[in-house]
Amino acid sequence: MASDEVKVIGAWASPFVMRPRIALNLKSVPYEFLQETFGAKSELLLKSNPVHKKIPVLIHADKPVCESNIIVEYVDETWSASGPSMLPSTPYDRAIARFWAAYIDEKWFPSLKSILKAEGEEEKKAVLAQVEEGNALLEKAFNDCSKGKAFFNGEHIGYLDIAFGCFLAWLRVTELAGGHKLIDEVKTPSLSKWADRFCNDPAVKPVMPETATLAEFAKKIFAKPPA
Amino acid sequence: GKMNQEEQVQVLGLWGSPFSKRVEMVLKLKGIPYEYIEEDVYVQKSPMLLKLNPIHKKVPVLVHQGKSIAESLVIVEYIEDTWKTSYPLLPHDPYERSMARFWAKYVDDKVMLTLWKACWGPESEREKMVEEAYDGLKYLEEDLGDKQFFGGETIGFVDIAADFIAYWFGIAQEASGVMIMTAERFPKLQRWSQNFVRNNIIKEVLPPKEKLMALFKAQFGNNASNEA
């Protein structure tokens, strides 16, 4: 018989995995964290996400839910009584939150990743410019969405905060490696303050890796020879 | 009576685009009147488009109550949120909703590109791309099962997201000569395609086959001339 148990299959360093974990924390839902070994995929993962074979997967009462932002919406809808709504109240504001979450995954994060992979000064400058352009857009989005409150979602952390905030540790690692600030008080003042609030939130702190730990891990995985 | 200016819905779209048509299909299914503005994005992007979708500069864009929304599936969810009761596209149950969103994203992110590359990619990659297309479609064939539509008895979120597969893909296969979604291999998807395109409302929205065929042949040429 299926219990009500919640499990998350993931890995500590993955920003995508952080998303459902933060959502569950916000709703005070206890869960078992099943850590995947780096470089190998467990039977449970392959069985639960046969289409993509990727983390995170949330398993609730033996039913798997895949795709990190979709999992966040699932958590919000399933435990709607256990905490404030993670999406804004109007259809338009919800559409804007979904729009920016899609932008972050499709444009912003790939350009952040390419900073670490960039070879040569020219390429590095080009990708940095892309990320900074994106950050400027997101700074404006924050000001528009937050309407003077602490988070993209208003008073409480929500879907878009999670969608973007999950990348902050990797962003700090990238800043360290490149010696170049990406989110700071001068270029992105609102985001800079938001980032601190987000990272210090009790729902986020336990699952956000320390920059130094993540930097060590990054060195290891980027040092691997190409497959 | 006539809707006042604030309530009016406008759609900036492209006649041949499956993304653009998703929005029109949903508006028509829900019985929402709208003004359609054609944007020939290949020729010129209008000042209106650039103002309403400055980030991606793409269609479709929906304008409602003076505000614009971009990205077709985001628009579809907006329409669903705003006009909840007429022709609901998403189920009530959170798990079922997550599955619908999962499959829609799968079609959008993975399947469409795979199918396109199988038809029009370089000859040297054809076999590999066709295998990937088979793999992509097989999960959808499985999920569809014996249902009339992905949404069950009525058209739903996933059916709308998969509009390319139901209509455009058949024409692309004919234009390119690369047969992938045959009745032998994918009987359920074939049956579903026909259910979808024959729907009274959907069929009024679909772009004319001859026009699409001519467009595909012109843009991508004859595969024989694309040999590596």
Side-chain angles (χ1 to χ4, degrees):
Chain A
M1 171 132 78
S3 73
D4 269 337
E5 269 175 23
V6 180
K7 303 183 189 177
V8 172
I9 309 176
W12 66 272
S14 160
F16 300 100
V17 170
M18 257 181 258
R19 290 172 173 172
R21 297 182 78 187
I22 296 169
L24 290 164
N25 288 346
L26 284 168
K27 301 282 189 179
S28 308
V29 176
Y31 65 94
E32 189 187 352
F33 184 54
L34 302 171
Q35 181 103 245
E36 288 283 302
T37 317
F38 185 73
K41 293 181 199 237
S42 70
E43 274 304 305
L44 183 63
L45 174 61
L46 297 175
K47 190 183 97 174
S48 310
N49 191 359
V51 175
H52 301 295
K53 305 174 178 55
K54 281 186 175 174
I55 51 175
V57 179
L58 178 122
I59 304 180
H60 181 209
D62 294 334
K63 293 196 284 199
V65 183
C66 306
E67 296 291 329
S68 58
N69 283 336
I70 293 176
I71 300 173
V72 171
E73 286 212 60
Y74 172 80
V75 170
D76 192 36
E77 289 172 8
T78 303
W79 288 280
S80 54
S82 309
S85 177
M86 288 186 216
L87 278 165
S89 53
T90 71
Y92 175 73
D93 289 336
R94 283 204 284 278
I96 294 303
R98 291 190 177 115
F99 172 88
W100 285 114
Y103 169 82
I104 285 160
D105 279 0
E106 284 157 31
K107 298 254 147 67
W108 186 84
F109 182 56
S111 59
L112 181 77
K113 267 198 297 191
S114 50
I115 295 178
L116 286 173
K117 295 190 195 156
E119 288 173 24
E121 278 312 301
E122 280 310 303
E123 200 188 328
K124 229 173 158 194
K125 263 208 304 209
V127 293
L128 258 175
Q130 254 179 12
V131 174
E132 296 201 329
E133 199 185 301
N135 288 347
L137 289 174
L138 290 162
E139 171 82 3
K140 178 170 191 299
F142 178 82
N143 291 330
D144 291 341
C145 296
S146 62
K147 306 193 222 283
K149 301 266 161 66
F151 300 104
F152 282 92
N153 194 44
E155 277 177 34
H156 307 281
I157 289 179
Y159 177 84
L160 183 53
D161 299 276
I162 295 172
F164 188 30
C166 68
F167 293 114
L168 286 168
W170 276 106
L171 184 122
R172 298 300 180 209
V173 167
T174 309
E175 286 177 335
L176 270 181
H180 192 114
K181 275 280 196 173
L182 295 167
I183 287 187
D184 72 7
E185 315 77 46
V186 177
K187 292 185 216 166
T188 54
S190 301
L191 286 181
S192 179
K193 294 195 205 81
W194 162 81
D196 282 338
R197 284 194 291 268
F198 183 83
C199 293
N200 285 308
D201 190 277
V204 175
K205 221 168 168 166
V207 301
M208 179 80 76
E210 292 292 328
T211 309
T213 318
L214 197 59
E216 271 308 302
F217 178 74
K219 271 204 211 105
K220 239 177 45 184
I221 58 170
F222 289 119
K224 275 183 146 74
Chain B
K2 227 173 150 70
M3 273 199 295
N4 63 43
Q5 194 59 43
E6 265 289 287
E7 282 312 302
Q8 195 185 39
V9 177
Q10 291 175 309
V11 174
L12 277 76
L14 180 61
W15 70 269
S17 160
F19 303 101
S20 180
K21 288 299 181 182
R22 286 169 175 171
V23 174
E24 290 195 80
M25 287 172 188
V26 170
L27 289 168
K28 287 244 182 320
L29 284 168
K30 289 182 181 272
I32 302 158
Y34 63 95
E35 182 196 353
Y36 177 76
I37 300 163
E38 175 75 16
E39 280 280 335
D40 195 344
V41 294
Y42 298 113
V43 172
Q44 175 114 16
K45 297 188 185 196
S46 74
M48 185 182 185
L49 174 62
L50 297 175
K51 180 176 142 224
L52 296 175
N53 188 5
I55 292 159
H56 300 297
K57 307 177 178 56
K58 284 182 180 176
V59 288
V61 178
L62 184 102
V63 184
H64 180 225
Q65 298 180 332
K67 298 194 267 211
S68 64
I69 299 160
E71 295 293 295
S72 62
L73 292 182
V74 173
I75 297 171
V76 171
E77 286 228 42
Y78 171 81
I79 299 169
E80 176 75 356
D81 258 350
T82 306
W83 288 277
K84 278 189 194 325
T85 48
S86 56
Y87 211 104
L89 295 167
L90 281 168
H92 287 300
D93 174 67
Y95 180 73
E96 299 300 321
R97 288 165 78 85
S98 77
M99 289 313 295
R101 288 178 175 133
F102 174 86
W103 289 116
K105 185 175 171 48
Y106 175 63
V107 168
D108 219 31
D109 286 356
K110 293 252 146 60
V111 180
M112 280 179 74
L113 186 60
T114 305
L115 298 183
W116 195 252
K117 286 205 274 194
C119 288
W120 306 113
E123 194 58 47
S124 54
E125 302 231 327
R126 180 88 55 229
E127 209 180 307
K128 176 166 161 253
M129 292 286 113
V130 169
E131 277 306 310
E132 280 189 27
Y134 289 153
D135 279 343
L137 290 173
K138 104 177 165 213
Y139 288 115
L140 292 171
E141 177 86 0
E142 232 174 79
D143 182 67
L144 181 60
D146 292 324
K147 295 181 293 196
Q148 204 191 355
F149 298 106
F150 286 97
E153 283 162 40
T154 53
I155 287 171
F157 191 65
V158 180
D159 302 277
I160 296 294
D163 66 341
F164 173 84
I165 301 173
Y167 185 69
W168 281 257
F169 186 43
I171 301 169
Q173 288 173 94
E174 222 182 291
S176 65
V178 182
M179 299 316 286
I180 295 165
M181 200 172 94
T182 59
E184 293 75 42
R185 265 190 195 264
F186 299 103
K188 298 177 207 262
L189 281 172
Q190 269 292 68
R191 174 189 38 85
W192 162 79
S193 300
Q194 291 180 32
N195 287 338
F196 187 80
V197 305
R198 283 174 191 165
N199 173 281
N200 282 329
I201 291 175
I202 297 294
K203 72 183 179 202
E204 296 300 316
V205 177
L206 294 173
K209 180 179 168 178
E210 316 74 47
K211 222 176 153 187
L212 272 185
M213 184 76 87
L215 178 72
F216 289 164
K217 285 193 167 162
Q219 274 192 308
F220 303 103
N222 193 326
N223 266 353
S225 65
N226 284 346
E227 247 149 311

